[in-house]
Structure formats: C-alpha cells, structure tokens
C-alpha cells in the first residue's frame, strides 16, 4: 500500500481543527515534500522526521514521498505535526497497521534522536480531536497529564517514535530513553488573601461584592495607600468557582501560553500586567503563531490594570471592543485567530501623577495640565463601559473602627453565590445568567422593566446628559445586582439611586 492516512490538529486562536495527514509514495526521483499551506517551522519537519526515523531504526522509503495536510486552505503552524507526518510516511510501505494509524490522532514534535518533545496547546488539540469523533490520541509523555483532562478519549503518552510505531504493529526495538521534560514548570500558587484583611473601607468592600454579583467592571481612584490593589486582588476569592466549561477553557488558554497544565483549576484567573505592557502583550499576537495575551488569559476571571493612568492610551483603548463583544479577534496576513475575552475589568489609578491631588494633608506638585493629561488617558468611551466608579480615601486613625464587623472572603463568596442564584432563577427563561450579560433592550422593555416612577431618576440623568444610553443600561444592570443582594424580586427607587451613585456619584 502506497497511501496512508492519520490525523493531527491545527490550532487557530483557541479553536482546534482536525487535519488529515496523507502520505503517498510514487516511483519518481527520491524526495520528501510537505504540501498543504505549511509555515517555515512545519516545512523544516522534513529534516526532523528524516533523522528521527533513521535514528529510531525506522528508515523512510527511498522513493518520492509526498505528505499532504488537508484541508489545504487552512494555515498550519508549528512543529506539533512532526509525529503525524512521520507516522503517515512510515505507514506508506505497510509496516504499520493502517486501521490503527487511521483511527489515531498524533501530536508532538520530534527530536533528531527520535524522542517526542512537548508542544503547547495539547489540551485544546485533544478537545478538538474528541469533538471530531477521534477516540485515541498519542501525545508526548510530558503532555500526558494535560491531555488526560479531556474525558471520552483514550490518551497514550509516548517517549519516542519507536514506541509509537510499535503500538501500531511495527516490529521495531524500542530504546529506553528519558522522556523530554517540559521547559516550563507549573505556575506558582498565588498567596492566600482574605477580604478580612481590608481595614476601614466598608463602602468599597460592599461595592466590590456588588461587582462580583453581576460581573461588573470597576474603577477605583484614590491616593497611594488607600487599598486599591488590596481590594482588587481579593476579588477572585469572592467569585464562585468555575464550572467545567470555564475551567477547561482557562486551562486551554494556559496550555496555548506554554504553561504546564496538570489539573483543572476552579479558581477564576487573575491577570495583572505591568503598566509598561505593550498592546500586543495585552491583546495577544505574533507574526506566524498567535499567542493569547493578558486579555484572553483573564477570560472567566479578572483583568486588573494597576496604575491605569500610566498605561499607553492605545493599550487602554484596545480594551473597548473586547468589553463589548466578550471576544477578541487578531488578524494576520492569510489568517485570523479568535480568543475569548469574558473578563471582569478592574482599573486602579491615582488622582494625579504624584498621587496627592485632593488628599487631605497632601501637597500636590503636579501642574493642571499634567493632571488633565494623566487622567485623560482613561478616555470617555472606556469610562462609559465601566459600571462602578469608586473614589477611595486613605484610612485615618479616626475613621478606623476595630470593633466594626469584619467581612471574610468566605462570607462574601456565599453572599455572591446566593445573589447569583437569584439572578439565574429570574433569568431562567432567557439565554443569560449574569446581569452583566443582559442586553439593554430587555432591561428597558422586557417583562421585568422597572415602572416609570422607579426609573425617573435614571431618566432625569439621561435627559440632562449625565449618562449615555450605554451608561443607562449599565446602571440598570448594577441596580439588579443590588436587588439580588437584598433578595428583592423587582427594582426599587433605592436600587436605582444606589446604582447611579456607584456609577457617577450622582444622586436622585
């Protein structure tokens, strides 16, 4: 038999596409060609496969060998196709069980000694293979733990090419070799933090809980030492655990980023890029292989931009489209990649470059022009997409009450969970489960739209130009989160008034 088929997976963004790898022998001048829109790294697989086969005791046929990656119109990137190409090439002469080869997907890079090297993106690749009906996949031994997180598929970890060939029926001696380890170890676990550590900011703590209930975006403005970073880092601890879908999606993003994935974490991710971060690092990018940026890594979790006034204006404005669409699409010549962007944005900024503007006892040395330029980096369209705006002050000795009740993360998480359950029950006949996802038309004109008397303060703010229509809808969403926290089935004037205050500091 001169034609053999097996399977591999091409990753575009976070989506995997099953690729049929066909090997064919012909009676022409000996050569080895790979066709099917392969990039340079994949084109170099010819030499890697040739040497790996020779050093594994599995020499390739001395005839013209053509390997086609189908569909040919889909761009293929990286070295993860090496194993599938080698298996298809070896199966053309009938030395491997054709049925076994055709029923298996192969993922992994080949070293010149025949060992399998780990590749990024194995988890989404195995997910794509399972969804396409493949029931067995062979991966490098270093990726075995990650691949086994997918249910309903037989995952085999192999150390070298000879072991893969032997599994498909080849009579070859399998050498004893040390498996190639992953270059990146597991991420260090974040230190445990508790909401009870926050002292003297009860209104800010309550606003943080409201944001957690509805998935609302939050801006905190205040001088250094007011507790902005402390509050932001405690937001993931009061969010409910991720469900199976979200946990698998977050693990897939970590896999694509090159991190080691050994288990499905149920804790919402927390990303805090430095203010010197470029636009490409924030939204993701790359010339040939597109990698997820901080926005995608924060999906189903929290994206925290500390010192937001120090970020590039272009980086901050790049957040506007993902905040609206909950996804981000990156276009490159010949292909595009999409990543999820269902993150909760938290911004923290000082009132001026030195941080002392308007602070009691502080001496601000900034010029009016410097202050306007600093705060002007947070553009109006970006601020219009923020649901809650907090102005924090430093905690004074007089304002600190050690006898005040302390709210722990566990207690706050239970309140958030109960409020989200009430929201899900209220929205049970709709496709939405969180208040932040409910469209404005449904909020204003749906079956639970507030009566005219209740929304009168909101209409007045819209009439005098204090709110845009987008801001109007965002205030309604926050109002529903306040009602869910208070266990109310309908909006009241107090909910609208409190939501207006949280949005713009406005009163009825």
């Amino acid at each position: 038999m001169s034609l053999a088929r097996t399977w591999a997976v091409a990753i575009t963004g976070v989506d995997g596409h099953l690729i049929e790898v066909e090997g064919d022998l012909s009676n022409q001048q000996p050569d080895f060609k790979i066709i099917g829109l392969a990039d340079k790294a994949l084109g170099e697989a010819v030499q890697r496969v040739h040497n790996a086969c020779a050093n594994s005791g599995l020499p390739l046929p001395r005839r013209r060998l053509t390997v086609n990656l189908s569909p040919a119109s889909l761009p293929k990137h990286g070295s993860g196709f090496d194993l599938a190409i080698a298996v298809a090439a070896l199966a053309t002469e009938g030395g491997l069980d054709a049925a076994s080869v055709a029923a298996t997907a192969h993922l992994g890079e080949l070293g010149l000694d025949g060992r399998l090297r780990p590749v990024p993106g194995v988890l989404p690749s195995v997910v794509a293979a399972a969804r396409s009906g493949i029931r067995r996949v062979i991966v490098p031994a270093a990726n075995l733990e990650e691949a086994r997180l997918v249910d309903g598929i037989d995952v085999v970890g192999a150390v070298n090419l000879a072991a893969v060939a032997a599994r498909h029926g080849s009579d070859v001696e399998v050498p004893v070799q040390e498996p190639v380890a992953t270059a990146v170890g597991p991420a260090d676990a974040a230190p445990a933090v508790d909401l009870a550590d926050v002292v003297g900011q009860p209104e800010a703590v309550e606003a943080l809980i409201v944001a957690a209930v509805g998935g609302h975006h939050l801006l905190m403005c205040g001088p250094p030492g007011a507790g902005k970073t402390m509050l932001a880092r405690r937001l993931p601890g009061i969010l409910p655990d991720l469900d199976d879908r979200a946990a698998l999606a977050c693990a897939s993003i970590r896999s694509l980023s090159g991190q080691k994935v050994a288990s499905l974490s149920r804790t919402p991710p927390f990303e805090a890029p430095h203010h010197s971060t470029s636009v490409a690092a924030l939204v993701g990018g790359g010339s040939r292989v597109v990698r997820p940026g901080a926005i995608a890594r924060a999906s189903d979790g929290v994206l925290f931009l500390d010192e937001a006034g120090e970020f590039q204006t272009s980086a901050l404005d790049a957040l506007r489209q993902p905040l609206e669409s909950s996804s981000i699409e990156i276009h490159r010549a010949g292909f595009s990649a999409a990543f999820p962007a269902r993150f909760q944005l938290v911004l923290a900024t000082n009132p001026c470059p030195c941080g002392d503007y308007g602070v009691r006892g502080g001496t601000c040395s900034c010029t009016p022009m410097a202050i306007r330029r600093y705060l002007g980096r947070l553009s109006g369209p970006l601020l219009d997409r923020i649901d809650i705006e907090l102005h924090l002050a430093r905690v004074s000795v007089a304002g600190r009450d050690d006898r005040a009740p302390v709210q722990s993360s566990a207690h706050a998480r239970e309140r958030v969970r109960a409020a989200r359950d009430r929201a899900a029950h209220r929205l049970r006949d709709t496709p939405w489960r969180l208040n932040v996802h409910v469209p404005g038309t449904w909020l204003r004109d749906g079956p639970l739209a507030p009566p005219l008397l209740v929304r009168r303060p909101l209409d007045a703010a819209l009439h005098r130009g204090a709110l845009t229509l987008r801001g109007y809808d965002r205030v309604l969403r926050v109002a529903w989160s306040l009602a869910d926290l208070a266990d109310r089935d309908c909006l009241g004037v107090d909910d609208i008034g409190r939501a207006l205050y949280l949005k713009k500091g406005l009163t009825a």
Side-chain angles (χ1 to χ4, degrees), residues 258-329:
Q259 300 179 27
K260 183 177 180 180
V261 179
S263 61
L264 291 181
S265 174
R266 301 291 175 172
T267 303
F270 181 83
E271 286 289 325
H274 192 262
H275 60 75
S276 61
T277 295
S278 66
V279 177
L282 193 62
V283 304
S287 58
R288 292 186 299 271
V289 180
V290 177
R291 296 299 184 201
I295 288 177
R297 295 196 302 271
S299 189
D300 291 303
V302 177
L303 177 64
F304 175 47
L305 302 187
D306 201 2
E307 306 293 345
E310 301 288 348
F311 277 79
Q312 301 175 36
T313 303
S314 56
L316 292 172
D317 287 340
L319 297 169
R320 287 155 53 180
Q321 183 265 336
L323 286 174
E324 288 294 320
S325 64
S326 297
S327 65
I328 186 163
E329 192 164 351

Side-chain angles (χ1 to χ4, degrees), residues 7 9 16-18 102-105 125-137 150-154:
W7 302 95
V9 178
H17 306 275
L18 201 62
T104 306
S125 297
V126 176
V127 169
R131 288 175 179 170
S132 299
I134 299 296
R135 288 295 166 258
R136 182 169 62 246
V137 60
V150 183
D151 296 327
I153 189 167
D154 178 25

Side-chain angles (χ1 to χ4, degrees), residues 17-255:
H17 306 275
L18 201 62
I19 301 297
E20 186 177 27
V21 182
E22 300 174 297
D24 180 67
L25 279 180
S26 58
N27 295 320
Q28 300 177 40
Q29 183 177 354
D31 198 1
F32 190 171
K33 293 286 187 182
I34 297 177
I35 59 176
L37 209 55
D39 70 347
K40 183 173 178 58
L42 187 46
E44 292 173 347
V46 170
Q47 197 60 50
R48 289 194 299 272
V49 170
H50 187 278
N51 287 58
C53 290
N55 292 326
S56 300
L58 298 162
L60 291 175
R62 295 189 177 182
R63 295 157 67 188
R64 179 177 289 269
L65 178 59
T66 304
V67 174
N68 179 44
L69 308 177
S70 180
S73 59
L74 183 71
K76 291 92 180 172
H77 309 281
S79 57
F81 293 84
D82 287 4
L83 181 58
I85 292 171
V87 169
L90 292 170
T92 55
E93 280 196 326
L96 306 181
D97 183 351
S100 176
V101 168
T104 306
H106 298 85
L107 309 172
E109 177 185 336
L110 285 174
L112 298 184
D113 60 353
R115 288 190 298 173
L116 295 184
R117 298 181 177 275
V119 291
V122 163
L123 182 57
S125 297
V126 176
V127 169
R131 288 175 179 170
S132 299
I134 299 296
R135 288 295 166 258
R136 182 169 62 246
V137 60
I138 297 179
V139 300
N143 292 128
L144 182 59
E145 274 187 309
E146 176 181 339
R148 281 181 172 170
L149 296 176
V150 183
D151 296 327
I153 189 167
D154 178 25
V155 178
V156 179
V159 174
N160 50 43
L161 177 60
V164 177
R167 185 171 186 87
H168 291 307
S170 175
D171 184 16
V172 62
E173 182 180 349
V174 180
V176 178
Q177 293 176 306
E178 285 291 325
V180 179
T182 52
V184 181
D188 295 333
V193 293
D194 198 284
L195 200 59
D197 300 334
V198 180
V199 176
Q201 297 284 10
E203 291 186 0
V205 169
E206 197 63 24
L208 193 73
I209 293 173
V210 174
V213 167
H216 304 296
H217 307 306
L218 174 68
L219 166 66
M220 294 181 285
C221 181
K228 305 184 294 294
T229 303
M230 175 178 278
L231 284 164
R233 291 192 177 277
R234 280 150 182 79
L235 178 56
I238 66 176
L239 295 174
D241 290 342
L242 300 177
D243 58 19
D244 291 342
R245 179 209 60 80
L248 189 61
C250 291
S252 296
I253 293 291
R254 295 202 309 274
S255 175

Side-chain angles (χ1 to χ4, degrees), residues 438-454:
V438 182
T441 51
W442 195 89
L443 290 169
R444 286 180 265 114
D445 304 320
L448 296 179
L452 180 62
L453 182 64
V454 171

Side-chain angles (χ1 to χ4, degrees), residues 322-344:
L323 286 174
E324 288 294 320
S325 64
S326 297
S327 65
I328 186 163
E329 192 164 351
I330 302 168
H331 296 273
R332 292 294 181 266
F335 74 97
S336 62
F339 293 102
R342 296 179 295 269
F343 61 90
Q344 191 169 348

